Amino acid sequence: MSSVSTRRSAGPGHVPAPGQSPAARDVRAGRNFDPLAQVRTPGANGCDVYLTGTVFLDIIFTGLDSAPVRGTESWARGMGSSPGGIANMATALARLGLRTSLAAAFGDDMYGDYCRESLEHGEGIDLSHSHTVPGWHSPVTVSMAYEGERTMISHGHEAPPKSAATAYDPDAPECPPPADACVSSLVPGRPQEWVATAARRGSRIFADVGWDETERWDLASLAELPDCEAFLPNAVEAMRYTRTDCPRAAAHALSAYVPLAVVTMGSEGAYAVDSGTGETAAVPAIAVDALDTTGAGDVFVAGFVTGSLAGWPLADRLAFAGLTAALSVQEFGGSLSAPGWPEIAAWWRHAGAPAGTGKRYTFLDDLLASCTQSTPPRRAVPTLGFRPPAG
């Protein structure tokens, strides 16, 4: 879980569809504001961030008082559907104004069509490196949010390798494309060759990691770690990999393997160690009423990547990442809960200082001066899509 201090909230019920046309949806909140405008140079790469992975259709139930009990039926007070899996990270990056390229397989079912439409036209994510697989159904995750946490059940089959016969765009350029940064989720014992390729081409690699199902917790099994600029595990993962009993000690231990080690500590915030300069930074979490924590870790990474590409100080990057994650858990759905700049600006202008956290976020003042309100953000809705009203 990301550096967010959560308080339980039952949350709202069904959320109505926003009713935006595709053209209106293209005017995304983050797309009107470029956080990297001051650092962009002529001849820069065509995309800021590249990532690849599996897109799921997420179905989220919220407002549960407790975990379901075997042999009984539970009713949820809220429900939503949205693209999930790697889509959580891609959407979070795009909503923060980064030019994002995603390589993923999509099923040729209605779920796949919905996810592709949401990501490509709704969020402006480049899918030229993605492909549709005939006869392959989209993976699905059902997420149940309760007591500030969530439980997930997933089903799917690994997509067959991309080939000219199944490619959505057989003429798409070779992956990975030139990008300022790449984001990867490391899997023990399963090296991803594209990461090393991207690093050789000059991309900055940011990585998190999931639960080690082998229970070995061996850093040597993370083959891509030497290519990473930053490694961002949560506290439990970091302590298990380093055999330490303190998240901060784990961060220092990890800094021997990567230039920048960032450990998220839930309600205690986040802690980072820069092995090159010796700098450390600690930022407390923002206490919020959490509706659904799905995707909060992805939003944290997206916020940290944004600050890193913009060249912000380490403490500001941590604070911004924690803020974006805190805003995300107050809405349900993984990808569609990610905040854009207007939401960040609204928090700073109306909630930041009164909440007593203003001093830590004064760096947002100059940054948000040119950020104005845009179209309302899309949120997860109960069904895959409502038909437009007649007439």
Side-chain angles (χ1 to χ4, degrees):
M1 185 178 172
S2 66
S3 58
V4 180
S5 176
T6 59
R7 296 189 295 261
R8 183 182 173 191
S9 172
H14 289 186
V15 175
Q20 295 174 315
S21 68
R25 288 200 305 267
D26 278 342
V27 187
R28 290 295 305 136
R31 209 166 299 161
N32 295 336
F33 180 73
D34 183 4
L36 308 184
Q38 300 301 315
V39 298
R40 293 195 189 280
T41 58
N45 291 320
C47 77
D48 298 318
V49 186
Y50 168 83
L51 64 168
T52 183
T54 302
V55 173
F56 288 73
L57 170 70
D58 279 359
I59 300 173
I60 310 102
F61 293 104
T62 64
L64 291 165
D65 294 322
S66 62
V69 178
R70 190 172 72 174
T72 67
E73 181 180 13
S74 299
W75 280 81
R77 290 185 288 276
M79 174 186 168
S81 301
S82 64
I86 194 64
N88 294 336
M89 182 76 73
T91 300
L93 291 163
R95 289 191 173 188
L96 291 177
L98 301 188
R99 299 171 301 182
T100 304
S101 178
L102 170 65
F106 289 87
D108 64 348
D109 51 11
M110 291 182 65
Y111 292 173
D113 291 345
Y114 163 76
C115 289
R116 177 182 284 280
E117 172 74 14
S118 295
L119 298 174
E120 190 168 34
H121 298 291
E123 305 296 342
I125 296 169
D126 170 32
L127 297 182
S128 62
H129 299 275
S130 295
H131 63 290
T132 295
V133 183
W136 180 66
H137 74 78
S138 301
V140 176
T141 291
V142 174
S143 177
M144 294 167 283
Y146 53 89
E147 298 179 353
E149 289 292 343
R150 80 279 194 202
T151 298
M152 296 180 287
I153 301 174
S154 298
H155 172 72
H157 305 283
E158 187 171 353
K162 180 178 178 180
S163 67
T166 62
Y168 167 73
D169 182 2
D171 299 321
E174 181 183 354
C175 288
D180 294 333
C182 296
V183 179
S184 175
S185 184
L186 308 186
V187 181
R190 295 182 60 182
Q192 303 171 67
E193 295 181 2
W194 71 267
V195 172
T197 300
R200 285 195 302 270
R201 294 177 178 175
S203 295
R204 302 166 64 180
I205 310 298
F206 298 80
D208 61 8
V209 68
W211 191 258
D212 184 358
E213 296 180 356
T214 70
E215 296 288 346
R216 294 173 185 155
W217 300 101
D218 181 8
L219 285 170
S221 69
L222 304 179
E224 306 90 341
L225 205 56
D227 295 313
C228 294
E229 172 179 318
F231 183 45
L232 302 95
N234 64 34
V236 173
E237 296 158 351
M239 290 188 290
R240 285 180 179 258
Y241 270 115
T242 58
R243 311 298 193 267
T244 58
D245 57 4
C246 168
R248 297 191 179 206
H252 283 278
L254 289 172
S255 69
Y257 296 86
V258 289
L260 185 58
V262 180
V263 176
T264 58
M265 304 182 295
S267 61
E268 296 181 24
Y271 185 76
V273 179
D274 185 322
S275 62
T277 64
E279 180 185 4
T280 63
V283 174
I286 299 174
V288 297
D289 291 324
L291 173 61
D292 180 10
T293 60
T294 303
D298 296 319
V299 175
F300 182 94
V301 174
F304 191 83
V305 170
T306 301
S308 297
L309 293 181
W312 300 348
L314 181 58
D316 290 351
R317 285 181 270 168
L318 281 187
F320 183 73
L323 169 60
T324 55
L327 293 176
S328 78
V329 302
Q330 297 176 78
E331 302 289 343
F332 67 92
S335 61
L336 299 187
S337 68
W341 285 102
E343 293 149 287
I344 295 167
W347 175 86
W348 171 235
R349 291 164 185 159
H350 304 297
T357 57
K359 290 183 178 179
R360 173 58 269 174
Y361 293 89
T362 53
F363 69 92
L364 292 175
D365 266 339
D366 293 337
L367 185 68
L368 295 173
S370 61
C371 182
T372 57
Q373 183 64 46
S374 182
T375 55
R378 294 187 307 126
R379 298 301 184 196
V381 294
T383 64
L384 296 189
F386 289 101
R387 292 184 178 87

